[in-house]
Amino acid sequence: MGAFIAAATGFPAVVFTAALAVVVLYWLLVALGAADAHGHGHGHFHSRAHSGGRWLGGVPVTLAFSLFVAVGWLISFCASVLLVPSSPAGVLVGAVVLIGTGYVSWYATKLLVRPLHRLFPDEHGPSRLDFVGLTCTIRTGRVDADFGQAEVRAADGSAATVQVRQTGNDALAGGSTGLLYAYDEPGEFFWVAPYDSALDPRTGPGTTG
């Protein structure tokens, strides 16, 4: 047991041992429900590599990093036992082992996550352009060419506060309903106009049940 601890806490394995401790703690929190396996949260910690990523292969970063650390720890531990001598030259050998372990672990992780990619289909977050054509509720006392905010609900039911502007002098006061008909990318705001339900083919008088 003493030899195992010495190898795990010695250089270079200690680098991956510390990282492995963090990974194990994280997955324990996931098991207890205190963390999300995909990393979702208010801070948007979740990150997913796209198919053209360097080595994550399109799976959540948390999973890929866990595999990288686990493989790296196993390789560095075995190398510490078999290759790193207990002499002054051990530090130099350990540094070479650490660099080699990182490369081998990177390549092994890339191979391991490849078959897992199909379990994690690409998910695209909502785009601001998805709001064009939706109605909104004005949240400011006025809307003009330079000022205005509104609340809009996405298709999934989530609400967002967006900047809105209008070209005319229509009465758009707080609580009134507007229609987002265009998005200005340079200004990062929506053009809005008063919404008349009677003119909406989905809700107008000509609608039949």
Side-chain angles (χ1 to χ4, degrees):
M1 188 66 180
F4 175 86
I5 295 177
T9 58
F11 184 77
V14 66
V15 176
F16 284 94
T17 298
L20 185 63
V22 174
V23 168
V24 171
L25 177 61
Y26 172 77
W27 288 110
L28 284 175
L29 292 176
V30 170
L32 296 174
D36 189 341
H38 284 182
H40 292 121
H42 296 294
H44 301 289
F45 175 69
H46 172 75
S47 177
R48 181 189 303 275
H50 299 289
S51 57
R54 284 282 296 179
W55 59 281
L56 298 181
V59 301
V61 170
T62 49
L63 176 58
F65 180 74
S66 298
L67 288 173
F68 174 79
V69 170
V71 173
W73 181 85
L74 181 61
I75 296 174
S76 63
F77 176 81
C78 293
S80 295
V81 174
L82 300 175
L83 301 177
V84 180
S86 56
S87 65
V91 177
L92 179 60
V93 175
V96 174
V97 168
L98 181 61
I99 296 173
T101 297
Y103 176 78
V104 174
S105 182
W106 166 81
Y107 189 78
T109 303
K110 185 177 179 180
L111 294 177
L112 289 172
V113 300
R114 203 171 280 172
L116 298 177
H117 174 64
R118 68 192 66 178
L119 301 178
F120 302 93
D122 292 335
E123 297 176 356
H124 301 283
S127 167
R128 293 182 180 180
L129 294 178
D130 294 337
F131 293 145
V132 175
L134 299 181
T135 58
C136 63
T137 302
I138 305 302
R139 293 307 185 195
T140 51
R142 61 181 175 84
V143 175
D144 53 32
D146 302 308
F147 175 80
Q149 286 186 339
E151 182 181 283
V152 60
R153 289 196 172 274
D156 61 1
S158 61
T161 299
V162 297
Q163 301 295 319
V164 292
R165 305 288 187 267
Q166 68 160 323
T167 57
N169 296 311
D170 297 308
L172 285 170
S176 61
T177 301
L179 176 67
L180 304 177
Y181 64 88
Y183 179 67
D184 186 290
E185 292 190 6
E188 297 187 340
F189 61 81
F190 291 89
W191 291 108
V192 64
Y195 173 72
D196 187 348
S197 60
L199 300 178
D200 192 331
R202 298 169 297 179
T203 60
T207 304
T208 57

